[in-house]
Structures are given as structure tokens and as C-alpha cells.
């Protein structure tokens, strides 16, 4: 709600990890896109979004995630998600996003597989 | 002691940012009343968020309100959401396909109706120049 | 784009166990909309719980519903809670005193009105044979 | 809400500690009273209620707490609370309960003071 959306960015070798906090709506999506663009412009091509603390999303927010997914695919990069709440995973599955982005159970699993 | 009332909760929300979250809070309380499990409750909330956002964004309703009725009947949760907007024809809405969306220049949006239908057991639209009514059912 | 709607949320609840919690969920969403702090939000919820419980327990309303309007006006949250019950005379309610309550045989109950008045900045009762209306205000 | 109220009972020398989980309404209050009566009948006279996980209460629930407070005072015993949410402490203060029952910040503080 009015509690603002937050995001932390960290780097593990070539992998950029974004940890989100809060509702992924249009504003939340825009914040993710902004951080994504910054690291993309710095040369990053491998991205992991840890959504453990984003248990509410909406289709406007997710459409922004599709934008960054498209950009990643076009650059022959890789984008994945981890720690998704069941409803988030279900949403990504319904939309077909899971055909283009892997979902890992934990951040550790993701880092291991993507490094 | 008067007889037990119907398990009906009514909510009228202004079309303002984040008010869809108020709708989910009420939905959660109703879901708890019928002991709907956590996953199904989250699915109801997601469908409700999408329905609210559509009314907020597209209805052009002048009173800027959505009218939501939650009704528990046996093992079913029925949600009726109304706006007094311009209406639309759901049969004219193109079904979204991720492969098309992933092309540059394509509109990424257009998932709301799909999500509502996938999250609920049934979704029915009645829409016309007096507005839109969506009836959604979730079974326990 | 139509003009911004008033910040008013309306909720109609059935008089059923735990429905007072549904009222607090909606109150919390409205409190967030006006960025009321956590302590004050909890105070609003407590007052609302007591007001709901009184209607549930004492109103003898035949429709078994409470009608709640939340209105944000500037820095004020106004809550109007109505039941269509038998009403009561708040001036005839004895003020509770802990020393009296702690005597054996004494009725321990009777704290609702006191709590509502202490938690809110103002509480006004209008009550008669058509029911009770409570208007409560909390300032930011 | 429909999630049921729970209580854990433990003993630290002569002090009985009840840790509650959930809404202290009439049902919650009844559960506390039942556990209180059991230990009282076994001879207990010193009681601590840890309310850390009971952030919602109502006046019906609290009136049951007044019952056990009365019974404790009549037996020249001692009843205290700890880890109260601000709203719970405020409620107890408004009602005057804090004149007859101490409120400790933590369970550790309470155990130290009451042992
Ligand atoms: N309540 C409504 N009032 C008017 N039009 C609506 C309403 N709900 C949906 N629509 C129309 O249906 C379209 C598809 O909606 P949806 O699938 O939710 O995708 P999106 O909102 O992202 O466009 C909208 O773009 C809009 O034209
Ligand atoms: N909505 C209401 N309708 C009818 N009577 C009411 C209502 N609210 C309060 N009352 C009366 O006022 C009295 C005091 O209420 P309160 O201070 O909340 O204590 P309690 O509910 O524990 O008795 C109640 O016992 C009841 O007689």
C-alpha cells in the first residue's frame, strides 16, 4: 500500500540479484525496471529477482517484468526468479513467463545454477 | 435471538491508488470466515485486484466507485463487482500470448481477464453502457 | 479523466463471529491511505472492534447488519457505524471502575464505551428506537 | 479470526508463565481462564502472561483477565503481563488494570523481578 516499494541490488560475479520488498504494481515495476536498466547499461546480462518479500503483484507490474525479460532475451542474456510465493509462481505460469524465465526455489539454488 | 444473517459483506471503494488492496483485505476476512485455504485465498485476492484495476483504469465511471459484494454460500465464495462505467465487450478482447508480447513494440499489458479466469472457478461478465458487473466464484 | 473521488469507503457486515476483524482490516487499509501511524491505527481498530461488538451483542437488530462508513477528510479519519437495533441511552451507562470490578460477584464487563472514547479523539452517540449511530473521529 | 487461539504453559520455579497466541476475545479469554484455573487448583499463585503474540484483544476477553486478576489478588498472589503490544498496554492502562498487575517489557525482566 502506501508503504513504499524497495529494492536491493547485489552482484555475485556476473549475476545481478535484485531483492524486492512490497507490492509489484506499476510503481514497483518501474523501480525494478530502473535498477535493471542501470545494471544492463553497465553491461549486466544475467539477472535474478528474489521475490520472497513481494507476495502481492498485479498484471501491470508483471507487464513491466515482461519488458525486462524481452530486453534480456534480445541480448541473449538470462533472467530468473527465486523465492516466489505460490500465487506469484502461478501467475507467471498462467502467463507463460515460466517458458522464458526459470523459477528457482531458493536464491542459493539459483546462484549455483546460474554461475 | 434473531436468526443468523446471510454471510454477505458489502464494500464500496473509491477509485483511488491502492484501494484494490482494501478489497483484498476484506476478501481475506471473508475467506477466513469460510476457512478457505491460503493458496485459494491468494488466488481470490489476485482476481479481485485485477477486476478492481480494470474498473479503476478503464471504466471511465463518473461516480468513481466500485461496488463489491462477497457472499458465502455453502462451500462457495461468490464475488460480484460492479462499476457504473462505459462497459466493454469481453468477446472483443484479444487473448494474450506471451510469444507475441515478447516482441519489441508489442503492448505488454492485457493479462487481467486471463488472470481472473485462471484464478477463479468461474467468471461471468455482464457489461453495457450502464457499466460492468463481474460475477466470480471460488469453490472451497 | 473524471475528478478524484471522495476518500470514502463503505462496508456492510453481517453480525457474525469475528466479523469485527473484517472491519479492522478495512480500517487498516483506509488508515494506510491517509498514512496514519501504526499506534493510532491500532487505536482505531480497537474502538471499531468495541463498536461492532456492541452492535452484535446488544442491538437486537433484526437485519443483523452493521453499516460502516470510513471517510478521510484532510488529517481526520471519520468512522460512522450504524445498526438498526433497539438503541440505548449512553448517559445511563455506568462508568466502569476497576476497583468495583475487582470485587467478587461484580460484572467484569462494561468497558466498551470507555475504550472507544479513550482510543478516539471524539465519539458521538445518536441512539433511539430505530437504532444506534456512532460517529468517531481520529486525528492524524 | 477462525485461526484458533493457542496457549503454552510453562513453569519457572513458583512462577507460571502463559504464552498466548491469537485474538483475546471471549473464546481466547476462556482458554486462558481454563489454564489459569488448572494451575491455580494445583497451588499456583504467581502468574505471568506473555502477550507478545496477542496483538488484538477486546473488552470481553479483557474482562476475563479481570476475573483471574481478582482471584489472584484474593489469594494474595501476583499476576503480571509482559511483551504487550502498545495497544494492549494502553487498554490495560485505560482500564486501571496496571494499578493491580505489573507490565514488564520482556519475559526475562518479569522472571527476574518475580522470582
Ligand atoms: N470494467 C471495465 N470497464 C471498461 N472496460 C474494461 C473493463 N474491464 C476490462 N475492460 C477492457 O478490457 C480490456 C482487457 O482488460 P485486461 O485483460 O484486464 O487487460 P489490460 O487492463 O491490461 O488492458 C481492457 O484494456 C479494457 O479495454
Ligand atoms: N449498539 C448498541 N445497541 C444497544 N445497546 C447498546 C449498544 N452499544 C452499547 N449498548 C448498551 O451500553 C452498555 C455498555 O456498553 P459497553 O460499555 O460496551 O459494555 P458491555 O458491552 O461490556 O456491556 C451495554 O451493556 C448495552 O446495554
Amino acid at each position: 500500500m502506501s508503504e513504499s516499494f524497495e529494492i536491493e541490488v547485489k552482484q555475485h560475479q556476473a549475476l545481478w540479484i535484485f531483492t524486492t520488498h512490497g507490492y509489484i504494481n506499476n510503481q514497483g515495476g518501474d523501480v525494478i525496471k530502473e535498477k535493471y536498466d542501470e545494471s544492463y547499461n553497465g553491461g549486466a546480462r544475467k539477472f535474478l529477482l528474489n521475490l520472497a518479500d513481494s507476495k502481492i503483484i498485479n498484471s501491470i507490474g508483471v507487464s513491466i517484468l515482461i519488458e525486462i525479460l524481452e530486453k534480456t532475451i534480445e541480448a541473449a542474456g538470462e533472467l530468473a526468479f527465486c523465492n516466489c510465493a505460490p500465487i506469484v509462481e502461478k501467475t507467471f505460469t498462467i502467463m507463460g513467463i515460466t517458458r522464458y524465465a526459470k523459477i528457482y526455489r531458493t536464491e542459493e539454488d539459483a546462484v549455483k545454477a546460474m554461475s | 435471538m434473531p436468526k443468523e444473517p446471510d454471510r454477505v459483506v458489502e464494500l464500496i471503494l473509491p477509485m483511488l491508488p491502492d484501494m484494490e488492496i482494501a478489497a483484498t483485505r476484506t476478501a481475506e476476512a471473508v475467506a477466513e470466515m469460510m476457512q478457505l485455504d491460503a493458496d485459494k485465498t491468494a488466488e481470490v485476492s489476485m482476481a479481485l485486484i485485477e477486476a478492481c484495476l480494470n474498473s479503476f483504469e478503464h471504466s471511465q465511471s463518473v461516480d468513481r466507485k466500485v461496488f463489491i459484494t462477497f457472499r458465502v454460500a455453502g462451500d462457495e465464495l461468490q464475488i460480484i463487482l460492479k462499476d457504473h462505467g462505459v462497459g466493454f465487450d469481453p468477446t472483443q478482447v484479444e487473448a494474450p500470448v506471451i510469444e507475441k508480447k515478447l516482441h519489441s513494440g508489442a503492448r505488454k499489458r492485457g493479462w487481467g481477464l486471463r488472470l481472473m479466469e485462471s484464478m477463479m472457478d468461474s467468471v461471468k461478465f455482464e457489461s453495457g453502457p450502464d457499466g460492468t458487473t463481474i460475477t466470480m466464484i471460488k469453490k472451497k
Side-chain angles (χ1 to χ4, degrees), chain B residues 52-110:
Chain B
C52 287
L53 290 177
N54 275 347
S55 290
F56 293 9
E57 253 199 318
H58 305 302
S59 73
Q60 302 172 49
S61 112
V62 175
D63 66 13
R64 307 303 293 155
K65 286 173 193 279
V66 287
F67 302 80
I68 310 175
T69 304
F70 302 88
R71 182 186 305 272
V72 179
D75 271 357
E76 266 187 23
L77 171 59
Q78 188 192 50
I79 300 177
I80 301 173
L81 186 144
K82 264 188 231 274
D83 66 55
H84 297 149
V86 296
F88 74 111
D89 181 352
T91 65
Q92 295 303 306
V93 175
E94 200 187 340
V97 178
I98 189 72
E99 283 68 23
K100 286 196 195 164
K101 302 284 182 194
L102 283 172
H103 278 190
S104 71
R107 183 172 183 262
K108 309 302 178 216
R109 299 278 309 277

Side-chain angles (χ1 to χ4, degrees), chain A residues 1 23 59 70 99-100, chain B residues 20-21 50 99 102 104 108:
Chain A
M1 309 256 331
Y23 183 19
S59 69
E70 179 194 324
R99 295 204 291 274
Y100 298 91
Chain B
E20 72 277 14
I21 300 297
E50 295 300 323
E99 283 68 23
L102 283 172
S104 71
K108 309 302 178 216

Side-chain angles (χ1 to χ4, degrees), chain A residues 35-78:
Chain A
K35 291 293 168 190
Y36 170 93
D37 284 343
E38 273 173 29
S39 54
Y40 183 98
N41 293 339
R45 292 297 181 267
K46 270 193 195 184
F47 306 92
L48 174 64
L49 273 76
N50 183 332
L51 304 184
D53 197 30
S54 288
K55 293 184 171 53
I56 311 182
I57 59 176
N58 71 32
S59 69
I60 310 182
V62 180
S63 70
I64 300 173
L65 299 182
I66 296 178
E67 277 180 48
I68 69 175
L69 179 57
E70 179 194 324
K71 194 160 164 177
T72 308
I73 293 171
E74 280 178 357
E78 194 181 347

